[in-house]
Amino acid sequence: MSESERVSSSARAFRERFGGEPAVFSAPGRVNLIGEHTDYNSGFVLPIALGERTYVAGARRADDTVRCYSRERREEHAFALAHAWRRSGKWHDYVEGVARALAARGVALAGADLYVSSDVPPGAGLSSSAALEVALGLALTTLAGAALPAPELALVGQSAENDYAGVRSGIMDQLASALGRAGHALFIDCRSLEVTPVPLPKAGVSFVVCDTRVRHAHAGGGYNERREECRRALELLQRSGRAVTSLRELGIEELNDIGKLLPEPLDRRVRHVVRENGRTSAAVDALRRGHLAVFGKLMNGSHASLRDDYEVSVPELDFVVAQAQRESGVIGARMTGGGFGGSAVILVDTADLERLSTNLRASFQARFGHEPVVRVAVASDGVRRETPARA
Ligand code: GLA
């Protein structure tokens, strides 16, 4: 289905369910090329926004009720904006969370009917939740006759995730979904929130996303535990007299000394974060200079570090990465996203793409009994109003 057909089908589904004419909004998922578990340590990341998007078709209502239907869940949830909020642990925490976070930023919301449908696979490490939050943020704001700059929509999405859905995620996913740029990766400094688009090679190579279909569940899981370990490590370093406010401020040359101050496994967690920040800066430099072999080596290094020091990989991801790294034409490979399942990202010569996909599917199936989903990442634009062009 083309993008415009996708928009029309979203509007049609809305009309069938609610009647009336909706406006359609969309926001993309993302794949991170390098810079993992650095965002909540005020460090560097390098994601691209994907062609897979979440669509929200919506129309304003006269009362203060928000009704939201999810095509994927086949479920409708309704709530009154004026009512107190309680976490349910269900998908609609994101919907209510975005509404509450917008209200907390002073947006005077209006009731709305919303039809949500998504092409971003959930749990694949491709930020389906950020795509939902950011698309909802633009939809609810616009339908209320208000406006927020894209970086603010990202912060609203993060607040929905942190304060309402209970995942203490960083800002990378929402910024990528809000500010993605076709043909570019985004180099993000998660301390200043400065976002710099970096052009991707136009031809010859592809970024491939291999979804192991092993599903992670961030809420309450290993992700929050890693965040907590980083917090403890920082606290210990501060108590030992280091004048630092985030792990981002530590240099690679300090790692030896730091290692002696921190108990296992905090020393390895910090080592990952510090080195990953270095790798991400180096990767941006390599991309700008067209040094793809260097970029690929940095990806490989990132994976080893996430596997051994940060311990967020799983056997399925290690397998995909090792298999890919053995294939000719592959320049680099690593797990991507929060980990504990999800996807790997592989940089490959486009000429070798088909063979790589076939081999990955077959070897993975032979080993784990199911096929992974292999897709090419198309770097796309961030959140937008699709239709009508103006209210
Ligand atoms: C998840 C989080 C992000 C980031 C990554 C790991 O995707 O939502 O904020 O921390 O994990 O890099």
Side-chain angles (χ1 to χ4, degrees), residues 6 9 69-75 115-119:
R6 187 65 184 80
S9 89
Y69 180 79
S70 157
R71 180 186 74 174
E72 275 62 42
R73 306 283 176 159
R74 297 186 190 179
E75 227 177 81
Y115 186 100
V116 175
S117 55
S118 182
D119 301 335

Side-chain angles (χ1 to χ4, degrees), residues 4 40 52 65 68 86 103 105-106 108 123 147 171 192 196 198 217 226 239 243 253 274 306 311 313 340 343 370:
S4 70
Y40 53 82
E52 286 80 6
T65 299
C68 183
R86 238 185 302 130
R105 285 196 170 240
I171 190 63
S192 66
T196 312
V198 184
R226 289 295 174 279
R239 278 211 215 127
E253 66 292 344
V274 173
L306 287 159
E311 295 180 291
S313 190
F340 306 103
S343 299
H370 70 269

Side-chain angles (χ1 to χ4, degrees), residues 341-355:
S343 299
V345 58
I346 303 158
L347 176 59
V348 60
D349 287 330
T350 305
D352 295 297
L353 181 64
E354 276 310 311
R355 192 178 28 80

Side-chain angles (χ1 to χ4, degrees), residues 30 32 35-40 45 125 127 161 167-174 218 223 337-339:
R30 66 97 189 93
N32 189 23
E36 220 66 82
H37 289 276
T38 44
D39 63 349
Y40 53 82
V45 294
S127 293
E161 189 95 43
V167 185
R168 296 176 57 211
S169 64
I171 190 63
M172 163 169 71
D173 307 345
Q174 290 81 5
H218 278 336
Y223 183 88

Side-chain angles (χ1 to χ4, degrees), residues 38-352:
T38 44
D39 63 349
Y40 53 82
N41 290 304
S42 301
F44 302 117
V45 294
L46 188 70
I48 59 181
L50 291 171
E52 286 80 6
R53 308 178 75 85
T54 293
Y55 293 82
V56 178
R60 185 173 173 143
R61 289 171 59 96
D63 59 15
D64 94 325
T65 299
V66 174
R67 277 198 301 175
C68 183
Y69 180 79
S70 157
R71 180 186 74 174
E72 275 62 42
R73 306 283 176 159
R74 297 186 190 179
E75 227 177 81
E76 184 175 294
H77 175 69
F79 61 97
L81 288 167
H83 280 189
W85 179 82
R86 238 185 302 130
R87 179 176 299 161
S88 69
K90 299 207 175 131
W91 65 274
H92 43 76
D93 284 349
Y94 289 101
V95 186
E96 290 207 37
V98 169
R100 307 285 167 204
L102 284 169
R105 285 196 170 240
V107 179
L109 289 176
D113 289 330
L114 305 168
Y115 186 100
V116 175
S117 55
S118 182
D119 301 335
V120 187
L126 303 178
S127 293
S128 58
S129 57
L132 174 63
E133 291 148 12
V134 173
L136 278 171
L138 181 63
L140 285 171
T141 313
T142 311
L143 295 174
L148 275 185
E152 295 273 320
L153 287 177
L155 289 166
V156 163
Q158 188 194 18
S159 159
E161 189 95 43
N162 292 181
D163 307 332
Y164 299 93
V167 185
R168 296 176 57 211
S169 64
I171 190 63
M172 163 169 71
D173 307 345
Q174 290 81 5
L175 274 178
S177 186
L179 292 162
R181 169 102 59 102
H184 291 72
L186 303 179
F187 179 45
I188 305 176
D189 178 334
C190 297
R191 182 167 64 186
S192 66
L193 300 191
E194 188 186 350
V195 178
T196 312
V198 184
L200 292 167
K202 286 201 174 54
V205 293
S206 303
F207 284 101
V208 171
V209 177
C210 180
D211 174 9
T212 61
R213 290 167 58 209
V214 175
R215 294 295 175 244
H216 66 240
H218 278 336
Y223 183 88
N224 285 353
E225 191 182 293
R226 289 295 174 279
R227 273 206 78 147
E228 179 55 21
E229 287 171 344
C230 288
R231 194 198 58 73
R232 269 178 29 228
L234 180 65
E235 196 178 81
L236 287 176
L237 291 173
Q238 287 167 335
R239 278 211 215 127
S240 77
R242 300 224 164 212
V244 285
T245 56
S246 74
L247 298 184
R248 136 78 175 270
E249 289 155 43
L250 301 169
I252 286 177
E253 66 292 344
E254 295 175 89
L255 278 178
N256 261 344
D257 295 345
I258 291 168
K260 291 178 200 133
L261 295 172
L262 295 174
E264 158 76 12
L266 300 191
D267 53 346
R268 285 186 292 122
R269 306 296 188 247
V270 171
R271 187 161 69 199
H272 165 75
V273 172
V274 173
R275 289 189 177 159
E276 185 77 351
N277 276 327
R279 277 189 289 267
T280 306
S281 304
V284 170
D285 193 52
L287 197 56
R288 287 201 173 113
R289 292 167 192 265
H291 294 169
L292 294 183
V294 174
F295 192 93
K297 283 213 175 72
L298 293 162
M299 289 176 79
N300 295 343
S302 170
H303 184 77
S305 172
L306 287 159
R307 182 192 58 208
D308 302 336
D309 279 347
Y310 217 66
E311 295 180 291
V312 290
S313 190
V314 291
E316 290 86 346
L317 284 169
D318 292 339
F319 181 84
V320 168
V321 168
Q323 286 291 117
Q325 286 169 347
R326 272 200 284 275
E327 294 279 338
S328 64
V330 168
I331 304 164
R334 58 184 287 277
M335 57 153 277
T336 183
F340 306 103
S343 299
V345 58
I346 303 158
L347 176 59
V348 60
D349 287 330
T350 305
D352 295 297

